[in-house]
Amino acid sequence: MMPVYVLCAILFLTGIYGVVAKKNLIKIIIGIFLMVQSVALLLLILGYAAGEVGGLFQTIGLITMIGGLAVMSLMIVTAVRLHEKYGTFDISEIRRLKG
Amino acid sequence: MIGIEILLGLIIVTGFVALEVKKLRTSVISLAAAGLFFIIASFVFGSLEVGVGGIIAFSILIPLLFWALKQTTGEDITIRIRPEPNDIFILISVAVFVIVCFLVVFPRLGIAELGPPPAPIEGPAGLSILREVLVLLAAAAGIWAVIRKVGRREK
């Protein structure tokens, strides 16, 4: 198996580990961004292997990065609002998610 | 392709440090380092679009994270020095998932081997940039809607 694909998968799993095992909202957001990064890198590598520099894979990689940035930005400001309301980033403390 | 493997390894290490460190500012700095390696990897792969997208993404995301920490707190109180059995179980489950993926799913996909870099294909760049700018404007509008104070209904 190609080591670069394995490394991309390990980066994705590092992100999954952050989302699943961490309780701090900022760490969870960082974990999601690591997953986005790994997907963008995988698309780059697939495009490179297919001989398509500047082609479809690159465009999808760019969309992944920019879309990920938009989602992450909204998640960060939502985390700030949650901290204003609950006084913590600990997701086990943030229970009343209504209204 | 040894350089790429080193860059990917550095992204993984800095990403893991960003997740495990107690001080959140250090965590954000580590994420910025991961972003720097990502941008370098993009340019090494010959993808100008993704490299510039990465520069834009990290130049917005890192200051936004610092702003969020300035508004709130700089320390992760949930982190533990010693992992609990639950954390170890999660890590083992994820590792098993990876092994199964690599042994079963990926060989069926027939992923191509990496060779020398191909020649770049020129495309209509203007439309792509407009699309990304629209996405970023929509995100900025969403951020403003969330953080605004005036016009918000408070109890």
Side-chain angles (χ1 to χ4, degrees):
Chain A
M1 189 56 66
M2 298 293 297
V4 278
Y5 298 123
V6 178
L7 289 169
C8 270
I10 292 171
L11 182 60
F12 189 83
L13 291 166
T14 309
I16 287 183
Y17 165 71
V19 172
V20 173
K22 295 293 162 190
K23 288 186 175 176
N24 190 301
L25 263 176
I26 297 291
K27 295 282 177 70
I28 291 170
I29 291 168
I30 289 173
I32 295 171
F33 199 69
L34 289 176
M35 289 159 70
V36 170
Q37 257 188 307
S38 74
V39 171
L41 272 170
L42 183 66
L43 286 165
L44 273 184
I45 294 166
L46 287 174
Y48 187 89
E52 270 191 36
V53 175
L56 180 65
F57 285 107
Q58 315 297 320
T59 308
I60 298 172
L62 179 63
I63 291 168
T64 307
M65 278 305 290
I66 299 296
L69 165 68
V71 173
M72 293 303 107
S73 308
L74 282 170
M75 287 179 79
I76 290 166
V77 290
T78 308
V80 172
R81 293 291 297 177
L82 281 170
H83 192 279
E84 280 175 15
K85 192 169 177 63
Y86 293 97
T88 180
F89 278 134
D90 190 349
I91 54 165
S92 58
E93 299 285 327
I94 301 169
R95 293 180 184 277
R96 291 176 291 112
L97 285 174
K98 60 180 181 182
Chain B
M1 299 304 290
I2 296 294
I4 284 296
E5 285 150 15
I6 291 169
L7 279 171
L8 285 174
L10 286 170
I11 295 171
I12 292 166
V13 170
T14 47
F16 198 73
V17 168
L19 289 175
E20 286 302 323
V21 79
K22 190 174 175 66
K23 287 205 176 293
L24 288 174
R25 284 179 205 288
T26 316
S27 186
V28 174
I29 291 166
S30 188
L31 184 70
L36 181 68
F37 295 130
F38 172 83
I39 292 162
I40 294 170
S42 304
F43 285 125
V44 168
F45 273 117
S47 176
L48 189 66
E49 278 189 11
V50 181
V52 173
I55 291 171
I56 292 168
F58 282 98
S59 61
I60 292 173
L61 192 70
I62 300 302
L64 194 62
L65 276 167
F66 275 123
W67 169 81
L69 296 183
K70 195 178 172 186
Q71 297 286 318
T72 55
T73 179
E75 197 147 315
D76 183 4
I77 54 165
T78 64
I79 201 158
R80 293 177 297 273
I81 301 299
R82 277 190 189 175
E84 287 183 353
N86 199 19
D87 296 338
I88 297 165
F89 177 72
I90 289 168
L91 274 175
I92 292 170
S93 307
V94 167
V96 169
F97 175 73
V98 177
I99 292 166
V100 169
C101 266
F102 275 104
L103 290 180
V104 177
V105 178
F106 283 0
R108 289 170 189 262
L109 295 176
I111 296 170
E113 298 281 322
L114 292 186
I121 303 165
E122 294 297 328
L127 186 65
S128 172
I129 290 167
L130 180 65
R131 184 179 56 215
E132 310 312 336
V133 167
L134 280 173
V135 172
L136 288 177
L137 284 176
I143 289 168
W144 173 78
V146 174
I147 64 172
R148 75 198 161 109
K149 300 281 185 193
V150 179
R152 181 176 290 279
R153 190 178 62 182
E154 298 286 356
K155 286 182 182 174

